[in-house]
Amino acid sequence: MPLRLDTTAPDFAARFDALVNARREADEDVSRAVADIVRDVRERGDAAIADYTRRFDRHDLDTSGWQVPAEERRAALEGLAPDLRAALELAATRIRAYHAAQRPADSESVDEAGVRMGARWTPVEAAGLYVPGGRAAYPSSVLMNAIPAKAAGVSRLAMVTPTPDGVVNPLVLAAAEIAGVDEVWRIGGAQAIAALAYGSTRIAPVDVIVGPGNAWVAEAKRQLYGVVGIDMVAGPSEILVVADAKNDPDWIAADLLSQAEHDPTSQSILFTDDAAFADAVASAVEAQLGRLQTGATARASWDANGAIIVMDRLEAAPPLVDRLAPEHLELAIDDPDAFFAQVRHAGSVFLGRHTPEAIGDYVAGPNHVLPTGRRARFSSGLSALDFMKRTSFIALDRASLAKIGPAAVALAHAEGLPAHAASVAIRL
Amino acid sequence: MPLRLDTTAPDFAARFDALVNARREADEDVSRAVADIVRDVRERGDAAIADYTRRFDRHDLDTSGWQVPAEERRAALEGLAPDLRAALELAATRIRAYHAAQRPADSESVDEAGVRMGARWTPVEAAGLYVPGGRAAYPSSVLMNAIPAKAAGVSRLAMVTPTPDGVVNPLVLAAAEIAGVDEVWRIGGAQAIAALAYGSTRIAPVDVIVGPGNAWVAEAKRQLYGVVGIDMVAGPSEILVVADAKNDPDWIAADLLSQAEHDPTSQSILFTDDAAFADAVASAVEAQLGRLQTGATARASWDANGAIIVMDRLEAAPPLVDRLAPEHLELAIDDPDAFFAQVRHAGSVFLGRHTPEAIGDYVAGPNHVLPTGRRARFSSGLSALDFMKRTSFIALDRASLAKIGPAAVALAHAEGLPAHAASVAIRL
């Protein structure tokens, strides 16, 4: 049974606080083991990578091949069922268009003191993309992580993916081919992250590493943050659906379950202003759970982390939304834009009754890699910006230096930095 | 003696590689001790903060006061020497103008399929600013960290600064007042970072923490990255000056020393196409070192980490600049813009003979918090963006869902996520 709260109950504030602060992330402490692997890969390079791959993925890279050859990637694409290929290509085209528009403009101006200043954006040279093996190897995730890098102008995009027992997922290869991935390495785990960050004899290092992974991969990225750039610290997925009684309860139940089926740690929450509608949705969830292939996972998530919150008026909801800062916010109401204008913290918002969250997972265009665990309070979904950096620039001449230089000299002296002061004063 | 390399020497490539890969960052392992403090502050809140402050800063917060009262901050500003106050205010005005222009525009468009999409930027609600105590308490750093937050629209900006033996630096207080800091807490170290991230009874939590600090502060920020946003992983400061023989050697020597005086781990590098000019700069550095108050620090840095690299033609320099990806790049040459166009990786660039790097530390306007240790390959200086986040949005209607929905259904089924497919299919 999911949690059920009523905003008018006397204990609502305390129980909502508990919901906001509940941690769904596993506390698996792999930091020591990951640190050992990272150090070993840094010191022994390819030999260490091959050792861990033999141990964890049960194949020998020198036999199975370190990289997936270009022919194999092309063959995977050509072997796709036509409707699936068309779907991937539609998704890629739409994702590419959305992310290409994110490239920021350079700036340059001269102010009244005669100082010329601005900023120039450039892509990183190389990016690494982690793709999990097994059940969580999603071609949509390959598109969502790879296309922003290419849209940013990254010239070398190296994908790493574990191939347990040597087996590669052809859907993932096809998506990599569509997205323009340049290299596909058959390695995974913390050892793959370390290889991308430090490089080895075979693998050139990258500047940024993105992509989802298990606790070992996430911890390796966290430890190597600063050696390379990383996308984010990710947690279990979540959706918050705000729905009035004019919705079909079956539609809303389907939306809640689309998140719940990801993992038992996923979270689906419904906000509504109608207790009878809440009951109807709860019943619809039960009915749909019975016939869902992923029902066991979805039920575990819904029972442990699901919540239905009933309130008098949905106008009271935005501050509660901001407390949760949900990864996905679906607004199945009459005027979703007016509601959205009141919300400050959410990863991505799905406006209206015909915008199920899953449309954003695949084909809408905006990224599906989004901040979880209330991190939408301070962070954003993956974008072309994650693969770019900004260089500021300043140009003065004799006249403009004469105008603002003396202030710099005064401040440098006040800070006890006489060489700073001298480098300006000598030119005055 | 600084390192001296000639690009025509047979061992140049190997020796330049060694320079690029040299690590100047201390490997002080404080991670266990910091983890203990963070956990303690999270569990015991104010009591833990007060304990660590008594132990490390030798004062009792309940006696000395947890916060610096608003009157004391105003008094610090009013007590400033007039020229210093004018200098700080000129700096603040220029920094504010530059960072206000960084606020990105929201976007919204409808594509040919009838899908409305876009992104909205909003500031975080609260930001924390760390300001070191003692020697490294720089008012310019307060301005550079606080003003971008305010330019982004952050409504609550909480500063923390250790006040050893209870003593506060009035220059820092004055800068905080000018920058519009809302709260000043007399706490420092890892315990202050933990207090900002988790909050306590007295201190409300923040969403983003920025500002420089010692190894303990840096490690606490690294450990809490993901609980809050942080600015960056910072290392020792560095400058790369590209200068031809038309420069006054004394000017270039002063620029090299302005970086060297920061810390023995700082690095100053000269690229030039004239061996005699290189000798002249080296002599000028020696002469200036003798009369510099910070000469001991600057000499330690110059001897251990300084480098002079002579090449035939400066046209060969940009790829070497990119390898170093310097925090500060000064181009004291005839056509600095043409050179800058060839450079991909640098934190901030200072164009021409009248733009000493120190002008950017104080009054030019762009931020002086910049990526170090080759991190300009993938990261950028502090900006208003570090205090903002982007929410994407998607709106479909019946017709547009009919167009792109079937592709989402196909992909969801291929990924083994039937509830995702159902949430779209039920609306088709």
Side-chain angles (χ1 to χ4, degrees), chain B residues 172-421:
Chain B
V172 159
L173 286 188
E177 193 66 7
I178 288 174
V181 168
D182 299 289
E183 303 163 9
V184 178
W185 296 87
R186 303 157 75 100
I187 59 175
Q191 60 273 20
I193 302 296
L196 289 172
Y198 290 120
S200 68
T201 306
R202 280 194 173 79
I203 305 173
V206 303
D207 303 301
V208 169
I209 302 177
V210 302
N214 64 17
W216 294 59
V217 169
E219 176 61 19
K221 283 168 66 182
R222 218 185 58 80
Q223 289 185 14
L224 289 163
Y225 166 65
V227 175
V228 290
I230 68 170
D231 46 355
M232 64 179 67
V233 174
S237 196
E238 64 216 16
I239 190 170
L240 168 53
V241 181
V242 178
D244 59 28
K246 296 184 202 167
N247 288 283
D248 182 333
D250 264 323
W251 291 20
I252 302 303
D255 299 344
L256 295 168
L257 288 173
S258 74
Q259 214 50 221
E261 77 174 335
H262 270 300
D263 195 271
T265 61
S266 301
Q267 182 166 56
S268 304
I269 299 178
L270 171 66
F271 279 12
T272 184
D273 56 356
D274 188 299
F277 179 75
D279 295 339
V281 172
S283 300
V285 166
E286 288 304 318
Q288 292 181 26
L289 270 173
R291 33 179 212 268
L292 196 61
Q293 254 188 310
T294 52
T297 302
R299 175 173 295 286
S301 158
W302 180 240
D303 284 350
N305 303 307
I308 295 177
I309 297 177
V310 180
M311 55 198 71
D312 280 345
R313 305 158 50 249
L314 290 178
E315 286 73 13
L320 302 177
V321 171
D322 282 342
R323 292 287 309 284
L324 290 162
E327 180 189 15
H328 303 108
L329 173 64
E330 195 176 302
L331 301 177
I333 52 179
D334 276 340
D335 190 352
D337 285 275
F339 190 104
F340 180 30
Q342 305 299 315
V343 170
R344 296 185 58 173
H345 310 310
S348 192
V349 180
F350 303 82
L351 299 159
R353 307 185 199 279
H354 291 85
T355 315
E357 184 278 322
I359 207 77
D361 284 337
Y362 293 110
V363 293
N367 214 285
H368 78 194
V369 181
L370 295 164
T372 54
R374 301 182 59 229
R375 297 186 184 90
R377 289 175 296 124
F378 57 82
S379 64
S380 311
L382 192 71
S383 78
L385 292 181
D386 291 293
F387 301 96
M388 304 185 78
K389 67 275 186 330
R390 197 183 51 243
T391 300
S392 57
F393 59 89
I394 305 170
L396 279 77
D397 55 18
R398 195 180 298 270
S400 52
L401 187 65
K403 281 182 194 159
I404 69 172
V409 174
L411 290 169
H413 279 306
E415 291 188 351
L417 296 171
H420 281 66

